[in-house]
Amino acid sequence: MNTHFTSRLEKIEAVLRENLPEIPYASAWKTKAFGKTDSAVTTEHIAELVEPCKILVASGGKRWRPLFAVLCAEAASASAENRNERIAQAYAITPLIEFVHTASLIHDDIEDGADMRRGKPAVHISRGIDTALNAGSWLYFQAAACLQDVEPALKALLYDVLMTELRRLHLGQAMDISWHKDNAKLPLVEEYLAMTALKTGTLASLSARCGVLIGGGTAQQADQTAEAAAAIGVGFQIRDDIINLTTGNAGKKRGDDIVEGKKSLPVLYHIQERPEDFEKLAACFKQAAAEGIESSAVEKAITFLSAGGALEKASVKSRSLIADACKKIETLYPGTEGAALITELFSAM
C-alpha cells in the first residue's frame, strides 16, 4: 500500500486503541465513557462491554472508512490557515466512524445468523447473544465519546450527522432483513440499490460528511461528497457480494450469503435475465438455510449464478459506481492531494 496511507493508518490505529484501551482502564477514560460511577462498578463489569468490541476492532478490517474521513478533511482544508489543527481533529474523531461500523457488524451477525467474522467466531457465538447485543449497542454510543472535546457548534453538527446516518443505517437493515427472511420474496434491483445505499453507503457518507465538515468545507460540499461516498459504499458492497460467491470473503466461507438468504445483486441480475430460474434458486436458498454452509445447495446456487453472466454484470456496476464517485470528488476538490489520494485508495481496493 502507498506509504502515504500507511502513515495515516498508523495514526488511526493509535487513536482507536486510545478510545478502547487495555485493561485496567484509566480513570480518565472511565469518566469520559461513563461519567462518575460508584466504587462497586469494577473493571470486570466494564470489560463485559469493552472486551468483545475491542477484540473485533483489533481483529482486522481495512479501516478505509476512517482513512476516507481523514482524506476528505485534507481535501476540504487544502487552503485553510488552521489546516493542521483540522486534520488533527479528523484523526481524533475516527472512532466515531470505525466504532459505528464495528457495532453494526456485531448486530448484523446476530440478525443474519452468521457464525464467523474475520476468521473467528462472531461475538454472539463466543460471548452469547445477550452480551453481544449489549456490547454492540454500547459501542454505537461510545463511538460519539470522541466528540466531547470538539468545539460546541461543530460538535452539535457532527452529532446531528451521526444520528441521521444511524437512523438510515437501521432502515437499510430493516429492508435487508425483510428480504432474507422470506426465500420467496425478491426485491427489485432498484430496491436493492436503495437498501445498500442506506445499510452500507451510509457509513461511507458518515465518513465523508464528518471529514468535510471538520476540514471546513461548505454544507453543499459535504452533501455532494456524502452522496459520492454513498455510491462508493454501494460499489464495495456489490464487490463483496461477488467475492462471497467466488473466492469467499476473508474470514468467511464461500457462499454463506446463500445460507443467510441474502438477495444480492448477482442474484437479482440473474433472475432479471432468467426468470425461469427463480424457483430453482429459491429452493437452493431454502435447502442451504436448513442444512448450513456445507449444503450442496450452496454450490448449486453458485453454479446457476456463474453460468448466467450475472457476476460479471454486477462487477461492471461496482466498478462504474466507484470510478464515477471518485471523479466527482476530484471535481469538488480540484488539484488537492486529499482528493487524488481518495481516487488512489479506492482504485487500489
Side-chain angles (χ1 to χ4, degrees), residues 240-256:
D240 282 352
D241 293 344
I242 297 165
I243 291 173
N244 186 278
L245 298 169
T246 51
T247 59
N249 301 100
K252 291 195 170 189
K253 291 186 178 181
R254 163 177 149 122
D256 67 340

Side-chain angles (χ1 to χ4, degrees), residues 179-183 256-263 285 289:
W179 297 330
H180 77 234
K181 273 188 172 181
D182 185 352
N183 290 323
D256 67 340
D257 279 358
I258 303 295
V259 177
E260 294 168 16
K262 290 192 175 180
K263 312 304 191 303
F285 276 109

Side-chain angles (χ1 to χ4, degrees), residues 14 22 70 79 87 128 134 140 142 168 174 189 198 201 243 254 273 288 317 323-324:
E22 297 292 331
V70 170
S79 59
I87 293 172
N134 195 48
Y140 277 128
Q142 179 62 20
R168 288 168 58 81
V189 168
L198 291 167
I243 291 173
R254 163 177 149 122
E273 295 292 329
K317 180 68 172 178
D324 291 348

Side-chain angles (χ1 to χ4, degrees), residues 28-55:
W29 180 86
K30 286 192 289 186
T31 301
K32 188 174 183 179
F34 303 107
K36 185 178 179 180
T37 56
D38 192 277
S39 59
V41 178
T42 67
T43 296
E44 288 73 21
H45 299 137
I46 297 172
E48 284 295 303
L49 287 174
V50 180
E51 292 308 298
C53 301
K54 188 171 72 177
I55 290 169

Side-chain angles (χ1 to χ4, degrees), residues 300-312:
K300 187 176 180 181
I302 292 173
T303 299
F304 278 130
L305 299 172
S306 301
L311 291 172
E312 178 55 31

Side-chain angles (χ1 to χ4, degrees), residues 75-128:
S77 66
S79 59
E81 291 183 3
N82 60 343
R83 185 168 190 261
N84 290 339
E85 290 84 353
R86 289 182 178 277
I87 293 172
Q89 192 164 65
Y91 279 106
I93 65 92
T94 52
L96 179 73
I97 296 151
E98 191 65 19
F99 291 175
V100 164
H101 171 55
T102 303
S104 74
L105 297 181
I106 294 172
H107 284 184
D108 277 0
D109 287 342
I110 296 170
E111 291 160 352
D112 294 343
D115 293 338
M116 301 293 292
R117 172 65 65 177
R118 295 174 180 167
K120 298 178 180 179
V123 174
H124 68 281
I125 298 297
S126 62
R127 299 292 184 119

